[in-house]
Amino acid sequence: MEQQRQEPGKRAAHKPLAAEVTKLVHGNEGKRCINARYHSNLQALEQMRDAELQELFRDAPFHELLLEPGTTILDACRRAEDIPQGPKGCHMVSEGAVWINHSKTDSPEQVLTPGQHILANGLSLLRVGKKNFHIIRWLNL
């Protein structure tokens, strides 16, 4: 509690409490959920099943999309989020408002690559803005 009082911005008291609540809600898999959601751990994200991801990111729509050769980051965003093709859509990606698998991307024309943009489980976690998550299952890998 002393550390919390001295540096409230570090949330020293909140983190253990959140970990315990997550463990109660998610059981023994709680740590993996915390790592996938809040610590940007890609390995934890890759190990999650579709149902677990949907539970963890409750408000995130689940999209099943075909991965076509040459699919760009902007294409994926547009298909999942209905971002326009033109300058506005490019601007969102270029300005760093788009994250794929917890990594900020600023190149709208970059082609999606397995291992970087597409996880081993065939999923991508897309975030547009601060809290707008989308789960994408690529159907034809």
Side-chain angles (χ1 to χ4, degrees):
M1 290 309 297
E2 184 61 33
Q3 186 181 8
Q4 176 67 28
R5 279 189 218 100
Q6 288 177 357
E7 299 178 274
K10 290 192 175 181
R11 302 184 178 271
H14 297 90
K15 291 177 183 177
L17 177 62
E20 289 301 315
V21 169
T22 303
K23 196 183 324 180
L24 286 171
V25 172
H26 295 285
N28 291 332
E29 300 299 316
K31 184 169 182 165
R32 185 175 65 188
C33 293
I34 289 171
N35 286 334
R37 176 79 191 231
Y38 301 107
H39 299 295
S40 303
N41 184 312
L42 290 183
Q43 185 178 16
L45 200 58
E46 282 184 320
Q47 293 173 353
M48 300 189 86
R49 291 175 280 127
D50 293 358
E52 289 176 309
L53 278 170
Q54 287 176 317
E55 176 67 24
L56 188 59
F57 297 94
R58 278 195 186 132
D59 297 329
F62 192 90
H63 307 278
E64 292 186 326
L65 302 175
L66 292 173
L67 181 64
E68 299 166 3
T71 299
T72 65
I73 291 172
L74 182 59
D75 293 334
C77 292
R78 193 180 75 240
R79 289 165 55 194
E81 175 70 14
D82 292 328
I83 291 176
Q85 175 68 30
K88 181 182 176 193
C90 288
H91 179 73
M92 291 183 75
V93 178
S94 298
E95 292 297 315
V98 174
W99 297 68
I100 297 179
N101 300 330
H102 299 304
S103 294
K104 187 187 295 191
T105 182
D106 58 3
S107 177
E109 298 306 319
Q110 184 177 8
V111 174
L112 296 177
T113 56
Q116 180 181 1
H117 304 108
I118 302 166
L119 301 174
N121 58 1
L123 298 174
S124 295
L125 180 64
L126 172 69
R127 186 179 94 195
V128 180
K130 277 188 165 184
K131 299 179 182 178
N132 194 8
F133 286 94
H134 296 267
I135 301 167
I136 301 172
R137 158 134 341 262
W138 298 101
L139 295 177
N140 57 333
L141 292 178

